[in-house]
Amino acid sequence: MKRVVALLGQGVVPVDTPILRADDLGVLRGDGVFETMHVRQGNPWLLDEHLERMVGSATRLDLELPPVSQLRELAAEACAAWDDPSEAVLRLVCTRGPEGGGSPTVYAMVTPVSDSTRRVRREGVRIGTLSLGFPAAARAAAPWLLGGVKSLSYAVNMACQRWATAHGLDDVLWVSAEGYALEAPTSTLVWLEGATLYTVPTTTGILPGTTARYLFSRAEVLGWHTAERMVRPHELESARGVWLTSSVRGVVEVRQLDDIKLPESPYTERLQDLLGYPL
Amino acid sequence: MKRVVALLGQGVVPVDTPILRADDLGVLRGDGVFETMHVRQGNPWLLDEHLERMVGSATRLDLELPPVSQLRELAAEACAAWDDPSEAVLRLVCTRGPEGGGSPTVYAMVTPVSDSTRRVRREGVRIGTLSLGFPAAARAAAPWLLGGVKSLSYAVNMACQRWATAHGLDDVLWVSAEGYALEAPTSTLVWLEGATLYTVPTTTGILPGTTARYLFSRAEVLGWHTAERMVRPHELESARGVWLTSSVRGVVEVRQLDDIKLPESPYTERLQDLLGYPL
């Protein structure tokens, strides 16, 4: 697969060059933070918002990030070496570095937007609910569980997405032990009731979605209010639209939720347009 | 820090050589498995048991491990290059490999046993309980939560150990949402009541401890029975001994559990001796 890799302090390096040591805690312990962004016309979209969240994740992990100005330059270096003027994916990664101490490993990687991403933007997703095991309030009371932190420890997120694929689905919606909708493994739940666009409160320990936040800041363009509330999946059946938002896919419509077929929402294209994602 | 690194298919490589690519899912997603073993007289102890557990973890992650015979050779290569005849630590790591597909990254690493490990073997540990958020039965019913899987996604485990350090403690004992003791972030809880040695049932989603299993297989040498049961931390106050077992530290005695000072157990040295860990 085509990609560009840039390493902090070294700039762009050949893609196949290994850049992480065997004792890097990012590998041994999934101990590090990352952000994924959409690249448009060669520039990462909502870069400041993503950097802000990355700083927040690093603080929660007691991880020393390089200065944000250096991360911004690194992102620019990687994007400048990417020759496709349409869209792309940018990831910024910062690990804790070697186990015995030493500098963190910090890099940026640009990759193409996949065909499956383009497909779900057009066709929407069929998703199934899976319990995340926690009561909805558990993580707010237990910061060591790293609710709201975008760490490199995504094995459960990936296992859930493999579960979806194995069940003929596109994605998963995590629910709390009591059955409240939380978030998807790599995206945020958003839905429309009347003229109010809703999402799930971050007090549940979900990751604060940058794309959802941007969408909410622009909702009045569509004449909508915004609010947060707890919701059970079956309540979404009567919504005027249910979406998953994330940096790369943008806004994708949920067309099936467990056994419930959701009617096509008339608002999906307008939302994608508002956020500037190509179909 | 002194260390030896051996890479599957290449053998021993210089320690500072990066061996993982930027797009390795072991880094990007903590998506991979590992095992940590005690090395004695140049050989990994309980290697077969650890390999068996590693195969189990990989199966749960739908991850293709190299044949066990190759992992055994890799472990031997790394240990052969380690020149200290006393004890050491061996880790085996297998990631899912590059994101676009390709070979997994498989390596072995040998490192010294730390001074703090030697200290807690002699002095025991002071630990604090932290909630893991889950009800005790949650993970058995939800295999996608990866209970019992030793994956590279250990950010929460590390955050809990940092919490311990920040609170002047040596380690953490995770408890379920209902307050049952589960396990520690990198070790198994074992305790003695009467003439019965207990540990926590793996139906709680804890990692099955290889050191605890070996200890249980030898308990009759000490005239003890063995059993599993759920326990609340305060019940441990009346135990004849409370220990954390793990491959590198071996058997360490719990001397303080939250605010409870536990009396010194007369059995700790006998257990360490039985398992062959130096003090």
Side-chain angles (χ1 to χ4, degrees), chain A residues 3 22-23 91 99 107 144, chain B residues 3 22-23 91 99 107 131:
Chain A
R3 52 192 59 205
D23 58 354
R91 272 182 283 197
E99 193 178 28
Y107 63 95
W144 51 85
Chain B
R3 53 192 59 206
D23 58 353
R91 272 181 284 197
E99 191 177 30
Y107 64 94
S131 173

Side-chain angles (χ1 to χ4, degrees), chain A residues 1 3 5 15-24 26-32 34 36 60-62 91 93 95-96 99-100 107 109 111 130-135 138 142 144-146 150-156 158-160 162-163 174 177 186, chain B residues 1 3 5 15-24 26-32 34 36 60-62 91 93 95-96 99-100 107 109 111 130-135 138 142 144-146 150-156 158-160 162-163 174 177 186:
Chain A
M1 195 201 297
R3 52 192 59 205
V5 175
V15 176
D16 295 344
T17 315
I19 61 166
L20 292 120
R21 290 166 42 153
D23 58 354
D24 197 303
V27 186
L28 293 177
R29 302 300 198 181
D31 199 357
F34 78 105
T36 306
R60 291 281 307 283
L61 287 182
D62 288 324
R91 272 182 283 197
V93 176
T95 78
R96 200 178 294 276
E99 193 178 28
Y107 63 95
M109 182 164 67
T111 51
L130 282 185
S131 173
L132 196 53
F134 301 115
W144 51 85
L145 299 179
L146 305 182
K150 202 165 173 71
S151 83
L152 297 174
S153 286
Y154 259 43
V156 166
M158 297 299 104
C160 289
R162 279 193 302 276
W163 180 93
W174 281 330
T186 59
Chain B
M1 196 201 297
R3 53 192 59 206
V5 175
V15 176
D16 295 344
T17 317
I19 62 166
L20 293 119
R21 290 166 41 152
D23 58 353
D24 196 304
V27 186
L28 292 177
R29 301 300 197 181
D31 199 357
F34 78 105
T36 306
R60 290 281 307 284
L61 285 183
D62 288 324
R91 272 181 284 197
V93 176
T95 77
R96 200 178 294 276
E99 191 177 30
Y107 64 94
M109 181 164 69
T111 51
L130 282 186
S131 173
L132 196 53
F134 300 115
W144 51 86
L145 299 178
L146 304 181
K150 203 165 172 69
S151 83
L152 296 174
S153 286
Y154 259 42
V156 166
M158 297 299 104
C160 289
R162 279 194 301 276
W163 180 93
W174 280 329
T186 60

